[in-house]
């Protein structure tokens, strides 16, 4: 068995897709929200039998390799390496003479791994960093679990270590581990100096960057790796790979502000916790969380900046149809509370939050605005929060509830408030957008059907292999995939018990045939009785022949007119013969 087949055998498609989305059972298959477009209802169909995950709305997906390449943005060789590691398959080493040079991404990741080992060794030998961690109540087992390290107080210690480890100047720069202050100056400087180091991983747990907390008096308390070939901060949440299983189980995520906050929550037993990695909360962060949970609980600092960040995150999250709650701590943040009152922190976090919009309204009532201007600011903010809600039922219920309370407490007109919310929604009120760059997300628009009439008819034979004798009633398609599939089916003869894998098709067309069969199942063709299947296949053969021959007649007519206008008599005569032949086929087929 070759490596590709072995990986497919060991790594079921549903297991891979389940790492990115919440799967639901639907008959023999599974469905989930499609991660490739702005999906509001489960559109991605996952077939364990066929090893296919495909969305017919945005026409994305395929086998485990196609799915992984699309969602991670990698090429096939990288997908092969990554999935081999997941499946526990050892890839055959190429002879040294033929071995290609390692890709830039792979070398950058190896550079980060070498840096991490260096930082971990430095932490073990540095008393200042260890004392700081003790002061922050971070135990030894958590230092190991989160792979914390220390960047020495030196301008070039890390850079020189990486050079000695075999990395080039260009590779160290590409990995973001060094800075060249002036292009005219050859000297390189370490990016992280005298800082406690937090490794940052992607959704699959692969190292992509570092965050550093100063142990000195630097102006920047926290410093992150720069954006590069591995690290796109708008797409990464710190602690995500450690939290995703718990998020999926609880269907909720806790969002905190910093690295120490994540560690603090883990220490009190709350594992479904993440933090934005060196940036404000983004739309891509929300889409990432939506794959695993339905509720997001915000536990951010209670200063003005924290409140603004919470409001902004609320708009982004509700726009993705996630329910947003808020937790307010008696201290500045979870890290501070974990140092003094870990038990109380655990109780508060496990009790859960209150709906964010309820929290905001309660705060407004406490402030008790008196002037007309203050009340206008209050209602404007409430209208904005309500208008961001993507769920119509929830928005309607909350609008009615708040309108009633505004009337009772402040004597405001209910109807005017409701109309203002409706108008804000109609005018296209949008969540505040992140200035950070985010990965593009496909918006599904009306497009041509993914399969032709002939393709769909051939797909029926894939579902009803015992009726392949009826294939003689279908004119062989001319387009490449249909022609290849027709030929492969014809070659079966009287063979029984065959599957798609038995067809003489290229790897690409085998996958497309699997998607075609899934498409037919998705539309209920596999629920027919045998007599009904015979009737439907014959009817579709007739329709497919008609569509194909009609198109062919149209194409010949167009070419014939061009030849006639150009005075090309020989070509005109040949096309006339072809046209008569097509008409004859149409009459023979009973069209």
């Amino acid at each position: 068995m070759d490596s590709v087949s072995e990986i497919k055998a060991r790594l079921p498609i549903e297991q891979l897709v389940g790492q990115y989305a919440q799967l639901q059972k639907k008959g023999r298959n599974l469905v989930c929200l499609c991660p490739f477009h702005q999906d509001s209802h489960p559109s991605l169909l996952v077939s364990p039998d066929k090893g296919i995950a495909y969305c017919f709305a945005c026409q994305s997906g395929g086998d485990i390799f196609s799915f992984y390449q699309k969602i991670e943005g990698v090429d096939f060789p990288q997908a092969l390496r990554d999935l081999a590691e997941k499946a526990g398959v050892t890839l055959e080493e190429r002879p040294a003479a033929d071995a290609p040079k390692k890709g830039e991404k792979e070398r950058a990741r190896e550079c980060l791994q070498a840096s991490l080992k260096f930082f971990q060794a430095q932490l073990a030998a540095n008393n200042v960093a260890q004392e700081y961690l003790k002061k922050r109540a971070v135990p030894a087992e958590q230092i190991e679990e989160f792979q914390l390290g220390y960047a020495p107080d030196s301008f070039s210690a890390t850079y020189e270590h990486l050079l000695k480890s075999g990395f080039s100047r260009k590779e160290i720069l590409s990995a973001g581990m060094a800075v060249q202050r002036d292009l005219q100056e050859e000297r390189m400087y370490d990016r992280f100096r005298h800082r406690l180091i937090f490794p940052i991983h992607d959704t699959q747990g692969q190292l992509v960057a570092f965050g550093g907390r100063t142990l000195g008096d630097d102006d920047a308390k926290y410093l992150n790796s720069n954006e590069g070939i591995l690290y796109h901060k708008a797409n990464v949440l710190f602690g995500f790979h450690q939290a995703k299983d718990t998020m999926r189980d609880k269907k909720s995520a806790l969002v905190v502000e910093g690295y120490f906050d994540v560690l603090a929550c883990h220490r009190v037993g709350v594992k479904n916790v993440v933090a934005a990695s060196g940036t404000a909360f983004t739309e891509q962060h929300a889409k990432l969380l939506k794959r695993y949970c339905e509720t997001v609980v915000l536990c951010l600092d209670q200063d003005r900046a924290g409140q603004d960040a919470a409001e902004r995150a609320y708009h982004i999250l509700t726009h993705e149809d996630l329910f947003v709650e808020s937790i307010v701590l008696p201290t500045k943040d979870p890290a501070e509370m974990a140092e003094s009152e870990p038990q109380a922190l655990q109780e508060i976090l496990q009790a859960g939050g209150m709906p964010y919009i309820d929290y905001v309204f309660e705060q407004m009532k406490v402030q008790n605005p008196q002037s007309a201007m203050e009340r206008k600011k209050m209602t404007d903010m409430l209208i904005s929060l309500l208008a961001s809600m993507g769920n119509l039922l929830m928005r309607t219920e909350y609008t009615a509830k708040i309108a009633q309370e505004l009337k009772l407490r402040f004597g405001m007109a209910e109807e005017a408030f409701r109309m203002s919310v409706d108008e804000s929604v109609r005018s296209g009120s949008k969540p505040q957008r992140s200035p950070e760059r985010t990965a593009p997300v496909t918006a599904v628009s009306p497009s041509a059907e993914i399969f032709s009439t002939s393709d769909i008819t051939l797909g029926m034979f894939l579902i009803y292999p015992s009726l392949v004798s009826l294939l003689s009633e279908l004119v062989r398609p001319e387009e490449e995939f249909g022609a290849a599939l027709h030929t492969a089916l014809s070659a079966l003869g009287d063979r029984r018990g065959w599957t798609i894998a038995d067809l003489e098709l290229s790897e690409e067309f085998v996958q497309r045939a699997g998607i075609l069969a899934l498409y037919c199942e998705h539309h209920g063709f596999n629920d027919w009785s045998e007599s009904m299947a015979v009737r439907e296949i014959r009817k579709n053969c007739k329709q497919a022949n008609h569509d194909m021959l009609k198109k062919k007649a149209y194409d010949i007519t167009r070419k014939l007119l061009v030849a006639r206008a150009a005075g090309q008599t020989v070509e005109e005569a040949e096309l006339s013969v072809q046209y008569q032949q097509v008409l004859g086929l149409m009459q023979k087929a009973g069209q």
Side-chain angles (χ1 to χ4, degrees), residues 34 92 100 144 159 216 225 247 280 297 318 366 415 484 515 551 585 591:
C34 178
E92 184 180 346
E144 182 178 350
Y159 175 68
S225 295
M247 284 193 296
V297 184
T318 53
V366 170
E415 191 57 32
I515 294 170
K551 181 180 181 301
L585 287 172
Q591 308 299 328

Side-chain angles (χ1 to χ4, degrees), residues 295-300 302 304 306-318 322-328 353-364 381-382 384-386 388-389 394 398 401-402 432:
T295 301
V296 175
V297 184
L298 303 177
C299 185
L300 306 178
Q302 292 306 299
R304 183 70 257 173
Q307 292 175 14
D308 289 345
E311 181 183 349
R312 184 176 175 284
Y314 165 87
H315 282 292
I316 294 170
L317 289 162
T318 53
L322 286 160
F323 188 68
V324 184
E325 295 181 349
S326 179
I327 285 180
V328 180
M354 68 184 301
Y356 177 81
I357 198 164
D358 286 344
Y359 160 72
V360 171
F361 191 46
E362 289 301 315
Q363 292 296 106
M364 289 177 174
M381 182 178 182
L382 289 170
S384 173
L385 295 177
L386 289 166
S388 286
M389 284 186 172
M394 190 177 295
Y398 263 98
K401 173 185 173 182
I402 292 177
Q432 299 173 34

Side-chain angles (χ1 to χ4, degrees), residues 200 208-210 224-234 236 259 277-279 437:
I200 299 171
V208 294
F210 295 110
N224 275 41
S225 295
N226 56 310
E227 294 252 335
I229 58 174
L230 294 177
Y231 181 50
H232 306 292
K233 58 187 177 183
V236 177
Y259 304 121
S277 171
T279 184
R437 180 179 62 82

Side-chain angles (χ1 to χ4, degrees), residues 455-470:
D455 289 340
I456 293 170
T457 306
L458 290 167
M460 293 177 182
F461 292 112
L462 299 177
I463 294 177
Y464 297 97
S466 62
L467 301 180
V468 75
S469 59
L470 297 175

